[in-house]
């Protein structure tokens, strides 16, 4: 009974002897190990972090959506509590030190009553909202301050999967925090189907409060504005998204000039070039957008584009698909010229055309005050509600983003222009026939 245990004791001892490492040479000083084995971003961060700010937003949020609750006499008569102010926190990045311009997210400052910006040196300023664009989730603020530090802009179009990036922001309101990772993917979309998307995906930790913060390269250049995460448990799981600085810069220029983004169009419908389509068209390209239709008298028609043409580049830059083309054209300044490269019968051609205003998107202002806060867009012979502001008259009336309106006051409509004609100066009850999630609804607005 004693032989077996002693046998296993011997085997264990042998394993221990085998696993004991040989004596190591004398260790180098810790500072030498740190310098040679663990490269640091500290010097870069010391230079760039003063350009990243914390943003505190004070906004008024109504407790109820019933319009009667917004009537102060009604609230006083029924002894209802006053509307409470809502506080939220986010981040921003200084992009122009001389003019005090700060980029952040639209959703950070939406419905803001007061915006406070705190710098890394703890100076605090009240910010002015220059303009905001919901479709790209970009907003521009301005503060009047001296000795600001701005982040130099990088080239987000030159990013590659695997590049080292750093996310800087204010997660959970803790204060300025830095996380690092890599570019996980480029050209991501599908997060907001109504928006303009070309997201940089990264595994650098982006948590609530990081929105509007900076995504920076290892050499300290701003390449993105952190905007969204996929967070099943409410926190970071390694999937974060940033708006490329190329897109954010285009939006910023329009916000500075107009206070809003004035989108353009060339009058075509397109779809992605798939391998099956490429084979059917007998072309070797695996990228681009196939023209499905061309509107009469549009810039594209005047330039000679035809259905079946494959657009491969805009202004000498390749496009990856229909969403990429939509971004380039939609964010180009109205009145500017773009050079379109395309294939027809396997022959490469180039044409220049002028961007015209996109009048297929209309706000509710010219229709009825009862629809204030809604946006409408033409879509294949229908009118789609492309956006509804929270707490707006349209939201209180029951209108929702994605509703497809087919008639107004019993009058069939197929375009935004027809909807405007039907509702302009409407003083009585408004009746909208619409489809929502595949079901028909009648919305009565008094």
């Amino acid at each position: 009974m004693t032989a077996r245990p002693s046998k296993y004791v011997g085997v264990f001892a042998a394993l221990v002897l085998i696993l004991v490492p040989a004596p190591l040479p004398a260790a180098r000083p810790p500072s030498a190990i740190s310098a040679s084995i663990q490269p640091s971003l500290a010097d870069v961060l010391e230079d760039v972090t003063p350009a990243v700010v914390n943003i505190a937003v004070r906004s008024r949020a109504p407790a109820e959506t019933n319009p009667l609750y917004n009537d102060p006499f009604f609230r006083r008569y029924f002894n209802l509590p006053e509307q409470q102010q809502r506080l939220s926190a986010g981040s921003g990045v200084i992009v122009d030190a001389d003019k005090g311009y700060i980029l952040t997210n639209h959703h950070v400052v939406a419905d803001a009553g007061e915006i406070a910006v705190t710098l890394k040196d703890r100076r605090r300023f009240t910010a002015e909202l220059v303009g905001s664009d919901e479709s790209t989730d970009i907003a521009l603020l301005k503060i009047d301050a001296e000795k600001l530090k701005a982040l130099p802009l990088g080239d987000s179009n030159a990013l590659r999967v695997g590049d080292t990036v750093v996310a800087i922001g204010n997660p959970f309101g803790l204060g300025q925090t830095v996380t690092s990772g890599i570019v996980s993917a480029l050209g991501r979309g599908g997060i907001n189907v109504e928006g303009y998307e070309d997201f940089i995906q990264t595994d650098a930790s982006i948590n609530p409060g990081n929105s509007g913060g900076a995504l920076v390269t290892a050499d300290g250049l701003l390449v993105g504005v952190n905007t969204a995460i996929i967070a099943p448990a409410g926190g970071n799981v390694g999937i974060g998204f940033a708006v490329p600085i190329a897109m954010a810069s285009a939006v910023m220029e329009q916000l500075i000039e107009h206070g809003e983004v004035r989108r353009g169009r060339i009058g075509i419908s397109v779809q992605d070039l798939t391998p099956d389509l490429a084979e059917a068209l007998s072309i070797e390209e695996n990228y681009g957008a196939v023209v499905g239709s061309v509107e009469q008298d549009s810039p594209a028609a005047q330039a000679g584009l035809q259905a079946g043409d494959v657009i491969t580049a805009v202004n000498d830059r390749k496009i990856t698909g229909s969403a990429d083309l939509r971004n380039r054209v939609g964010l180009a300044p109205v009145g500017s010229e773009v050079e379109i490269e395309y294939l027809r019968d396997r022959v490469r051609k180039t044409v220049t055309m002028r961007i015209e205003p996109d009048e297929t998107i209309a706000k509710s202002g010219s229709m009825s005050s009862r629809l204030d806060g809604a946006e409408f867009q033409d879509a294949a012979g229908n009118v789609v509600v492309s956006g509804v502001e929270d707490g707006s008259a349209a939201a209180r009336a029951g209108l929702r983003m994605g509703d497809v309106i087919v008639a107004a006051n019993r009058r069939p409509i197929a375009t935004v222009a027809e909807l405007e004609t039907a509702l302009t100066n409407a003083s009585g009850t408004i009746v909208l026939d619409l489809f929502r999630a595949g079901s028909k609804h009648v919305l009565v607005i008094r």
Side-chain angles (χ1 to χ4, degrees):
M1 296 297 292
T2 58
R4 182 171 297 178
S6 63
K7 175 181 176 181
Y8 285 101
V9 169
V11 172
F12 179 77
L15 289 172
V16 171
L17 289 174
I18 292 172
L19 293 174
V20 171
L24 294 174
R28 289 176 292 177
S31 59
I33 295 176
S34 175
S36 62
I37 299 178
Q38 300 178 2
S40 175
L41 293 170
D43 290 339
V44 172
L45 293 174
E46 186 176 356
D47 190 48
V48 304
T49 51
V52 182
V53 304
N54 293 347
I55 296 176
V57 175
R58 187 184 301 274
S59 56
R60 187 174 296 277
E64 303 287 345
T65 58
N66 190 315
L68 287 176
Y69 285 99
N70 294 322
D71 187 326
F73 296 102
F74 180 87
R75 301 181 67 85
R76 178 174 296 181
Y77 183 80
F78 287 98
N79 196 28
L80 295 176
E82 291 300 315
Q83 294 177 328
Q84 299 297 313
Q85 290 186 328
R86 182 179 58 198
L87 296 176
S88 57
S91 307
V93 53
I94 302 171
V95 291
D96 190 323
D98 293 333
K99 297 179 180 178
Y101 286 139
I102 299 172
L103 279 176
T104 185
N105 286 147
H106 164 82
H107 75 262
V108 170
V109 298
D111 302 320
E114 181 182 342
I115 305 171
V117 169
T118 304
L119 308 183
K120 187 181 179 182
D121 62 12
R122 299 185 181 180
R123 286 187 292 163
R124 187 181 177 90
F125 301 91
T126 299
E128 169 195 351
L129 179 62
V130 177
S132 189
D133 181 55
E134 183 177 8
S135 294
T136 55
D137 199 18
I138 290 295
L140 183 65
L141 308 178
K142 179 180 173 64
I143 61 174
D144 184 9
E146 298 179 350
K147 298 180 180 180
L148 295 178
K149 172 72 175 181
L151 258 181
L153 305 188
D155 184 3
S156 55
N157 295 325
L159 281 177
R160 298 185 302 167
V161 173
D163 284 349
T164 299
V165 288
V166 176
I168 311 172
N170 178 29
F172 299 105
L174 292 173
Q176 191 175 90
T177 302
V178 177
T179 57
S180 66
I182 63 170
V183 174
S184 305
L186 296 167
R188 287 296 197 211
I191 297 174
N192 175 14
V193 294
E194 299 295 338
Y196 286 73
E197 301 178 316
D198 187 25
F199 291 120
I200 302 166
Q201 181 183 329
T202 179
D203 66 346
S205 295
I206 297 175
N207 287 294
N210 271 112
S211 291
L215 189 71
V216 181
T217 58
D219 55 353
L221 299 179
L222 179 66
V223 289
V225 178
N226 302 325
T227 189
I229 58 174
I230 291 179
N236 174 67
V237 294
I239 304 177
F241 301 96
V243 177
I245 195 59
M247 178 181 287
S249 297
V251 171
M252 179 176 68
E253 290 175 4
Q254 293 211 41
L255 293 178
I256 292 172
E257 184 174 357
H258 307 295
E260 62 180 2
V261 176
R262 299 180 179 179
R263 291 191 163 78
R265 65 193 293 272
I266 57 176
I268 58 175
S269 66
V270 292
Q271 65 182 94
D272 291 338
L273 178 66
T274 63
D276 290 340
L277 273 174
E279 183 179 355
L281 296 170
S282 300
I283 58 177
E284 297 180 355
E285 273 72 13
N286 56 5
Y287 62 90
V290 182
V291 177
S293 62
V294 180
E295 297 177 18
Q296 285 187 336
D297 301 322
S298 65
Q302 294 170 8
L305 279 184
Q306 300 176 8
D309 290 344
V310 180
I311 299 176
T312 57
V314 176
N315 292 337
D316 293 325
R317 181 185 157 199
K318 291 181 179 179
I319 64 166
T320 57
S322 58
D324 192 14
L325 177 63
R326 177 175 178 251
N327 290 340
R328 306 282 188 81
V329 173
L331 293 175
V334 173
S336 64
E337 292 188 342
V338 292
E339 186 179 81
I340 303 290
E341 183 180 293
Y342 65 97
L343 292 171
R344 179 184 297 166
D345 299 328
R346 291 180 290 181
V347 177
R348 195 172 300 276
K349 300 184 177 184
T350 302
V351 67
T352 300
M353 63 187 72
R354 185 177 296 273
I355 301 292
E356 70 175 16
D358 188 353
E359 297 176 349
T360 63
I361 300 177
K363 294 184 180 293
S364 56
S366 60
M367 299 180 190
S368 170
S369 60
R370 285 168 287 175
L371 297 180
D372 282 351
E375 289 189 355
F376 306 92
Q377 183 172 356
D378 289 346
N382 294 297
V383 174
V384 174
V385 179
S386 56
V388 179
E389 295 179 11
D390 291 340
S392 65
R396 295 194 299 270
L399 210 58
R400 299 181 187 174
M401 187 173 72
D403 286 348
V404 179
I405 302 174
V406 296
N409 288 340
R410 303 305 183 186
R411 176 179 175 179
I413 60 168
T415 66
V416 171
E418 292 179 359
L419 178 63
E420 287 191 71
T421 300
L423 296 183
T424 298
N425 300 321
S427 57
T429 299
I430 295 175
V431 179
L432 299 178
D433 293 88
L434 55 86
F435 283 89
R436 177 181 297 165
S439 300
K440 187 173 183 179
H441 296 259
V442 177
L443 186 63
V444 179
I445 305 172
R446 293 183 173 86

